[in-house]
Amino acid sequence: MCEAAEGSTTGNRGSSEVSLRTMGSGFRSREASSAPTSGGPGGGVVAPEAPALSRWGSGSPLTRLVRQREFGIIAVGVVLFAVFSLASSGTFDSFQTWGGIGSSAAELGIVSVGVGFLMISGEFDLSVGANFAFAALVMATMVHDGYPPIEGLLVDLGIGIGIGLLNGIVTVFLNIPSFIATLGTYFLWSAVVLIVTGGTTITILPPTPTLLNVLGGFIGDQMRSEILWWLGIALVVGVVLHRTVTGNWIYAIGGKRMAAREAGVAVARTRVLAFVLCGMLAAFAGAVQLAHLGSMSAGYGSAYQLEAIAASVVGGCALTGGRGSMVGIVVGTVILQMLASGLILSGVSPYWYQAVVGIIIIVAVAMHTRIGAVVHGAES
Amino acid sequence: MSAPTTNDEQEHAARGPLWLEARSITKQFGAVIALSDVDVSFSLGEVVGLIGDNGSGKSTFVKILSGVYQASSGSLLVEGKPVRFHSAADARAMGVETVHQDLGLVDSMSIARNFFLGAERRKGPFLDLKRMERETSAMLREIGLGNLRAIGQDVSRLSGGERQAISIGRAVAFQRKMLILDEPTSALSIQETEKVFEFMRAARDRGLAVLAVMHNLTQVRDVADRFVVFYHGRKIADIVNTGQSEQDLAHYIIEGKLAEMGIEREQVDMGVIRAITTE
Ligand SMILES: Nc1ncnc2c1ncn2[C@@H]1O[C@H](COP(=O)(O)OP(=O)(O)O)[C@@H](O)[C@H]1O
Ligand SMILES: [Mg+2]
């Protein structure tokens, strides 16, 4: 800790000169004391018991908390919650309301997990809304025609994976920016949905098959099982993102793709994987909405591509990739849904929703940039 | 000019056996021919200085040797056996470690995560972040960077010299047989440069093959045992360092240019050549 403090007071330029001055001699002493190393990559790292330097340098737990990238947006969420609780004279902070908010947010939340994950890798998927409707409509048609819902679900997931794979291949191997590639597939699949269904709504009620209950049935007063699917998926994908090599590579690719490649990261494979995950989750969200509503139509989910990007950005994902977190993505989604429900419960016209979302996006990004400047240095 | 002369400064362990050979390497990017028919061999215990104008193909060659790019044609041999580097991981596994021109660091990631990128420590299916942080601080301490503020902080907070040191530190920590540095000193002060050179000499004396791409002819004379000169994607010279002058080296670079323009060397005023070829 003392050394760390000394380094930071010396200033950037000074400390680098100090370090380089000792570099050569340090290397020689190492040579004298240890034989040339062998083993797998990294086999050469000798690790005497040296305590790891603290994660954020210094500061009390409170300072460190405040410096977390997600802190700002969680604070915004808390403020919004307080405002709506007061404005709705007590109905907003009830368990029922929150069950409802969570359930309504679940489909967008599941889509956002994929979109945010992909955004951290530096890519967009504008086709998630079309994917959502297309995959779920095929599932709805199958269930309507008497196929077992589980088969419908598998086909739904297969379609999502296929669409994601196509997006990934077009982006990665044809080297087309994903914004353009998925704008293209968005139009493509939107048209296919209309061609196939002729724009009709497919209803599969009654009776409600078991699988559909598992996906989107009630588990409480206002709460539906989809909230558990959302949080479960966020947890699993969050662990992958933050605690596995794949997640580490997603950050590296989004941060600086060439550096990742130079370090031996399997860049192409990992990028395609992110598209596939995003496509699969969009289709799964479609299945969940089908289970919830008992019907599906071409127009459902059509706003999700932009709302999912909004949720991710509000939650702290950098549009340019490399930064973001699963907590942020989930909180971003909750904030959007809180706005939608909170405005209604506070008696404000729902027409204001988009205006407020717009303002929140700008405020949130401004905040992330400022906090980023403190946490990560001036460049972010 | 043919036999190497050993003066005090140049004294080092004798050159070891041949390790890596690049044979007739050609690399095209669409219509651009970045390298054509390049042969270079690297021996253990030798520092090769690769020089040439901007755009002469030096970085492209480095990226082929380190598996980042694949040659359009030609082959690589390690200890006489043909090898294929499909990715940087393959080259690493064979023992080639590289500090690229852009340093290969991801600014938005922590020092520890950068250090182990592509060679992550795991505990079962999960990243072993604690161990990576511990080993990174141990390694940095060992190379004299122990006073770096915090292992968990992003690389974007570091100065140019610190980044360079981390990047080289990473290559040395994982070193095996060959260390490649692409323009390692271009952003450094004179003292910092000298330390990087010490690093390179120490690696050589430990029996590594070292390839250093250099822009500055004065500097390359100080550190290289052999010079390889590229011009427009071709190798136009491959000579032992016998203490040639800066101008001699400049001539190799400029000769390609002159030959292309149909001019004899004698026709050109030396002052002009110097002005063109040294910064
Ligand atoms: N990825 C690439 N795509 C297209 N052209 C490239 C690429 N990389 C390098 N080149 C071209 O190849 C030539 C050699 O570049 P480079 O190897 O970077 O030269 P140097 O390192 O000697 O300055 C240049 O003309 C450069 O524009
Ligand atoms: Mg270069």
Side-chain angles (χ1 to χ4, degrees):
Chain A
M1 279 323 289
C2 295
E3 281 177 349
E6 189 187 304
S8 54
T9 51
T10 325
N12 278 354
R13 200 67 204 160
S15 66
S16 80
E17 278 180 21
V18 170
S19 42
L20 280 162
R21 204 166 296 139
T22 54
M23 216 155 75
S25 53
F27 188 54
R28 260 191 249 102
S29 67
R30 166 184 159 81
E31 183 192 359
S33 62
S34 62
T37 52
S38 59
V45 179
V46 194
E49 276 316 304
L53 298 174
S54 77
R55 197 170 169 68
W56 296 107
S58 57
S60 67
L62 186 66
T63 330
R64 295 212 301 268
L65 176 71
V66 169
R67 283 186 184 174
Q68 293 286 345
R69 203 177 158 84
E70 297 80 25
F71 175 78
I73 196 58
I74 292 176
V76 168
V78 170
V79 169
L80 281 177
F81 178 78
V83 168
F84 285 136
S85 296
L86 291 175
S88 68
S89 47
T91 49
F92 188 74
D93 52 4
S94 69
F95 186 75
Q96 282 93 330
T97 304
W98 274 85
I101 288 178
S103 305
S104 318
E107 289 102 345
L108 175 63
I110 293 168
V111 175
S112 300
V113 166
V115 166
F117 187 89
L118 187 63
M119 192 184 287
I120 294 171
S121 83
E123 308 290 349
F124 295 101
D125 186 351
L126 297 178
S127 71
V128 286
N131 177 348
F132 176 99
F134 179 48
L137 266 169
V138 172
M139 178 176 169
T141 310
M142 287 179 68
V143 175
H144 184 265
D145 292 352
Y147 286 93
I150 184 71
E151 285 180 24
L153 178 65
L154 291 177
V155 169
D156 168 277
L157 292 176
I159 290 173
I161 290 170
I163 290 178
L165 193 61
L166 183 73
N167 287 337
I169 287 171
V170 169
T171 302
V172 174
F173 295 106
L174 299 187
N175 210 9
I176 292 173
S178 57
F179 192 90
I180 304 299
T182 61
L183 186 65
T185 56
Y186 159 71
F187 282 120
L188 174 68
W189 300 116
S190 300
V192 168
V193 170
L194 289 173
I195 292 164
V196 171
T197 64
T200 57
T201 298
I202 295 172
T203 305
I204 52 172
L205 285 175
T208 316
T210 320
L211 178 82
L212 297 186
N213 262 327
V214 170
L215 285 178
F218 279 106
I219 51 172
D221 220 357
Q222 286 288 313
M223 202 153 81
R224 288 173 174 271
S225 54
E226 54 200 288
I227 192 171
L228 299 180
W229 285 105
W230 170 32
L231 297 178
I233 287 169
L235 185 70
V236 171
V237 177
V239 166
V240 170
L241 184 61
H242 296 291
R243 288 284 172 265
T244 69
V245 172
T246 302
N248 203 43
W249 289 4
I250 290 286
Y251 280 100
I253 291 167
K256 196 158 157 203
R257 200 189 303 159
M258 191 37 126
R261 193 170 163 186
E262 287 168 354
V265 168
V267 172
R269 180 154 46 89
T270 308
R271 289 175 76 201
V272 171
L273 182 100
F275 279 100
V276 169
L277 179 76
C278 184
M280 187 180 81
L281 290 181
F284 184 73
V288 166
Q289 181 152 81
L290 172 67
H292 178 160
L293 299 176
S295 68
M296 195 27 77
S297 156
Y300 293 180
S302 62
Y304 277 166
Q305 53 270 16
L306 294 183
E307 285 193 13
I309 290 174
S312 304
V313 167
V314 166
C317 297
L319 267 185
T320 45
R323 293 192 195 283
S325 70
M326 190 50 67
V327 169
I329 294 167
V330 170
V331 172
T333 311
V334 170
I335 285 185
L336 290 195
Q337 191 58 45
M338 230 160 81
L339 285 175
S341 309
L343 289 175
I344 294 169
L345 289 175
S346 310
V348 179
S349 156
Y351 296 144
W352 279 98
Y353 169 66
Q354 292 195 339
V356 177
V357 167
I359 293 166
I360 291 282
I361 288 176
I362 293 169
V363 169
V365 171
M367 208 169 54
H368 292 313
T369 313
R370 286 195 69 97
I371 294 178
V374 176
V375 177
H376 310 291
E379 281 179 39
S380 50
Chain B
M1 238 210 202
S2 50
T5 58
T6 317
N7 60 36
D8 289 354
E9 265 184 21
Q10 232 79 61
E11 205 170 321
H12 65 91
R15 196 173 82 179
L18 205 61
W19 192 70
L20 177 72
E21 291 165 82
R23 287 201 186 154
S24 341
I25 297 289
T26 296
K27 178 66 181 177
Q28 287 174 262
F29 294 105
V32 179
I33 301 177
L35 290 173
S36 57
D37 214 15
V38 171
D39 289 275
V40 189
S41 306
F42 301 93
S43 300
L44 299 177
E46 182 189 41
V47 177
V48 174
L50 175 57
I51 51 182
D53 265 3
N54 270 331
S56 59
K58 305 182 297 294
S59 293
T60 304
F61 188 60
V62 163
K63 285 182 177 165
I64 287 172
L65 295 185
S66 54
V68 176
Y69 293 157
Q70 284 70 48
S72 308
S73 66
S75 54
L76 297 176
L77 285 80
V78 169
E79 289 169 351
K81 290 182 217 69
V83 290
R84 279 187 169 275
F85 296 161
H86 297 284
S87 73
D90 286 355
R92 252 186 171 180
M94 285 301 296
V96 179
E97 284 293 343
T98 308
V99 180
H100 290 278
Q101 192 164 4
D102 62 5
L103 299 184
L105 299 175
V106 182
D107 284 352
S108 53
M109 292 174 83
S110 72
I111 297 171
R113 281 181 185 251
N114 263 291
F115 215 86
F116 283 94
L117 185 57
E120 289 84 356
R121 296 281 189 237
R122 289 184 228 204
K123 200 187 271 169
F126 301 114
L127 288 176
D128 193 346
L129 270 176
K130 286 245 160 57
R131 181 168 167 213
M132 294 197 289
E133 293 187 353
R134 198 174 56 233
E135 291 188 358
T136 304
S137 24
M139 192 58 220
L140 291 180
R141 208 169 299 257
E142 223 175 312
I143 63 174
L145 271 175
N147 61 347
L148 216 56
R149 282 150 301 187
I151 285 308
Q153 77 185 337
D154 285 1
V155 162
S156 63
R157 296 198 101 178
L158 304 180
S159 74
E162 286 171 337
R163 286 170 194 225
Q164 187 72 52
I166 295 224
S167 206
I168 294 180
R170 179 168 73 172
V172 169
F174 295 132
Q175 69 175 262
R176 307 289 285 286
K177 287 291 192 182
M178 182 167 181
L179 175 61
I180 303 178
L181 306 99
D182 193 352
E183 311 247 6
T185 59
S186 48
L188 302 185
S189 71
I190 292 170
Q191 295 100 307
E192 287 173 333
T193 299
E194 190 43 48
K195 295 307 158 194
V196 171
F197 286 179
E198 271 181 40
F199 232 177
M200 286 163 54
R201 293 188 192 105
R204 171 194 64 195
D205 294 345
R206 265 176 69 168
L208 270 78
V210 179
L211 168 62
V213 174
M214 307 278 272
H215 205 86
N216 183 314
L217 298 182
T218 318
Q219 289 183 357
V220 77
R221 289 175 63 235
D222 289 343
V223 73
D225 303 312
R226 183 156 62 94
F227 305 116
V228 170
V229 186
F230 278 11
Y231 180 75
H232 266 205
R234 289 188 312 278
K235 184 176 89 169
I236 56 167
D238 191 336
I239 42 174
V240 171
N241 184 351
T242 55
Q244 290 95 333
S245 70
E246 223 174 286
Q247 286 94 325
D248 286 335
L249 291 180
H251 286 153
Y252 285 106
I253 297 179
I254 207 77
E255 250 165 31
K257 202 172 277 179
L258 296 179
E260 205 172 60
M261 292 156 69
I263 302 170
E264 296 290 315
R265 188 206 291 193
E266 288 70 25
Q267 290 175 265
V268 181
D269 170 49
M270 289 307 152
V272 175
I273 294 179
R274 278 209 62 168
I276 300 171
T277 55
T278 61
E279 299 119 312

